[in-house]
Amino acid sequence: MNISLNITKTITELLSGFMSEGAANIGAMVTIALIYLAIFAVAGLYLVLLERKIAAWFQLRLGPNRVGPWGLLQTMADALKLVSKELTGTVKADKFLFNLAPYFVIVSSLMALSVFPFTQEFQAFDINIGIFFLIAISSIGVIGILLGGWASNNKFALIGAMRSGVQTISYELSVGLSLLTMVLLTGTLQLSEIVEVQKNGWLIIQGHIPAVIAFMIYMIAGTAETNRAPFDMVEAESELGAGFHTEYSGMKFAYFFLAEFINMFIIAAIATTVFFGGWLSPFGITESIPWLGVFWFIGKTFMLVFLMMWFRWTFPRLRIDQLLTLEWKYLLPLNLLNIILMAVIVWLNLTIQF
Amino acid sequence: MSYFGDIYKGIKTLLTGMSVTGKYFLTSRKGAITQQYPDNRKTLKMFERFRGEVVMPHDENNEHRCTGCQKCELACPNGSIEIIWDRQIDPESGKKKKMIDQHIYHLGMCTMCGLCIEACPTDAIVWAQNFENSVYDRSYLTKVLNQPNSKLKAGVEE
Ligand code: SF4
Ligand code: SF4
């Protein structure tokens, strides 16, 4: 197998055969964006299916099994149905913002995907502030949620959006700090280099105690960041109808829905890259075949996605004050202590290296 | 130190919860409780305690156990049961006696509360487990529970 995995370079070279350099660059960007969009729209749909199946198994049910073999086409059919549906809105809605909100959410989550190294060199956009970029992008999504809730002129939507604001702003802090803890260990923000560093052992092993604590905090805060149960104050079906997207229908609703699942994938993918060695195989067993890295990356990510689904179908929802207590009284102080612990460990060279 | 104690307790209870659901997840293949109705219509067996409708069982001699005492009619909170009775000569003893003519049951009005069945002193009526009760006309829901020409089983009244 000698396929070049550096897709950006390959496509640019291909295009520059018959274009000027500037046009080739832009052409390559557009092509890659379209490829990613297609792949992740479908992947998002299958994540929804996976969630429904796993939820069913947790509850001793069967899950969707009517459309296609084992229900594999169920979410495709759902998406088709949503596309064909009427886009409704409230009378006094702020039309411009109302229509803008879903795009904010979906675009910000798709943008974050561009920086992940799926395997060696298979990365659309390798910037040297990777982690920083991810944290920044992942908090733009909340603007979409706030806009949607505000513009739809509905009390439930507004309350849901405000809760989302409170929640994301609080937990953003924990996500950032727990990733910073790991950056202390790697000494770089660039995702491809973070993976390089882990050739001497995955960071969760290199950093042992503080790394495990950071991972736990990251998973809790990450789950909160995606607004999933047990932190789904934003949608709280029993209190708020459907929360911020109560007034959305058809494809615009589908964007919110898809974004939630892509965000879950992103949170799991960040954890994979930062804690579990990204595309590196355990003990380097498939080091000679670079394209297998994709398999390892996806495999680890899905393990973590499964963990988040496990959370969702086990824990009851928190009240808003419990939610804030958890963040400000427990996660944040622990996180700060953890950073100091990690700094001491790095300083005294107590990391475990293979 | 209760701060760290709380954290420890929190994590422990969360893990307990996850282990419970995890066990369910692993055994879900064997024990899915979903009934794939109507695919399994032939083999579906409803649970004994399921309340489908009130019926009056008859034995092979077309005999039931209802004495016409009307206790079920009185017990029913919404008048779903009507007993039509009269006094007839009992062929065996030759005496006049209260006898049931029709035990009319309005399935459409029944709330499945079960008070009639509990009130019946001779256990003449019981729950049936069928649930496919939809019909095209409301009048089909009014049923006569005792079969035509049926009679009271001997010895029930003693
Ligand atoms: S189950 Fe309740 S509502 Fe139905 S007939 Fe008996 S007493 Fe009446
Ligand atoms: S069904 Fe039972 S309670 Fe009702 S009239 Fe007959 S014997 Fe009496």
Side-chain angles (χ1 to χ4, degrees), chain B residues 76-127:
Chain B
C76 182
N78 44 14
S80 308
I81 293 178
E82 258 177 82
I83 312 274
I84 297 176
W85 57 275
D86 54 6
R87 291 191 191 277
Q88 286 173 344
I89 311 266
D90 187 15
E92 274 153 45
S93 59
K95 283 186 211 148
K96 263 197 160 189
K97 157 174 150 187
K98 193 173 180 180
M99 264 190 177
I100 180 171
D101 185 22
Q102 281 188 319
H103 186 297
I104 298 170
Y105 166 58
H106 299 273
L107 175 58
M109 278 154 67
C110 176
T111 58
M112 314 292 168
C113 68
L115 291 178
C116 51
I117 287 167
E118 278 187 30
C120 181
T122 54
D123 294 332
I125 41 178
V126 293
W127 282 119

Side-chain angles (χ1 to χ4, degrees), chain B residues 56 65-72 83 103 120-122 124-125:
Chain B
M56 183 181 290
R65 298 172 65 87
C66 175
T67 58
C69 70
Q70 291 183 294
K71 284 203 169 122
C72 52
I83 312 274
H103 186 297
C120 181
T122 54
I125 41 178

Side-chain angles (χ1 to χ4, degrees), chain A residues 14-62:
Chain A
L14 201 73
L15 288 179
S16 56
F18 51 88
M19 276 186 206
S20 67
E21 200 174 329
N25 269 330
I26 292 171
M29 280 180 207
V30 172
T31 325
I32 288 171
L34 287 180
I35 293 173
Y36 266 56
L37 199 63
I39 292 178
F40 282 101
V42 176
L45 285 181
Y46 276 97
L47 263 180
V48 177
L49 184 71
L50 186 75
E51 161 105 58
R52 287 177 63 179
K53 274 285 183 193
I54 285 181
W57 289 334
F58 272 124
Q59 300 173 342
L60 295 185
R61 292 184 287 113
L62 293 172

Side-chain angles (χ1 to χ4, degrees), chain B residues 41-59:
Chain B
R41 204 170 166 193
K42 297 243 159 51
T43 55
L44 178 68
K45 205 167 155 354
M46 286 308 285
F47 314 98
E48 214 169 282
R49 286 166 60 190
F50 178 73
R51 298 174 171 189
E53 63 171 321
V54 175
V55 293
M56 183 181 290
H58 289 64
D59 65 8

Side-chain angles (χ1 to χ4, degrees), chain A residues 53-54 56-63 65-66 216 306-307 310-311 313-315 329-331 333-334 337, chain B residues 2-4 6-7 11 13-15 17-19 21-25 27-29 31-34 36 39:
Chain A
K53 274 285 183 193
I54 285 181
W57 289 334
F58 272 124
Q59 300 173 342
L60 295 185
R61 292 184 287 113
L62 293 172
N65 63 354
R66 295 282 141 168
M216 280 161 70
F306 174 74
L307 188 66
W310 195 350
F311 288 164
W313 298 106
T314 303
F315 303 142
K329 289 198 182 155
Y330 291 93
L331 293 187
L334 284 181
L337 280 180
Chain B
S2 85
Y3 180 79
F4 290 101
D6 282 351
I7 295 174
I11 292 177
T13 48
L14 288 182
L15 288 181
M18 283 179 72
S19 75
T21 46
K23 250 179 245 150
Y24 273 109
F25 181 77
T27 53
S28 62
R29 296 250 127 236
I33 52 173
T34 312
Q36 301 200 56
D39 287 2

Side-chain angles (χ1 to χ4, degrees), chain A residues 125-136:
Chain A
F125 188 39
D126 190 14
I127 43 175
N128 55 7
I129 52 164
I131 293 269
F132 187 61
F133 178 79
L134 279 175
I135 296 173

Side-chain angles (χ1 to χ4, degrees), chain B residues 136-156:
Chain B
Y136 283 102
D137 194 299
R138 193 153 58 101
S139 61
Y140 294 130
L141 292 174
T142 303
K143 302 185 176 185
V144 179
L145 292 192
N146 57 329
Q147 286 167 9
N149 299 323
S150 62
K151 59 181 198 325
L152 174 64
K153 194 192 262 175
V156 170

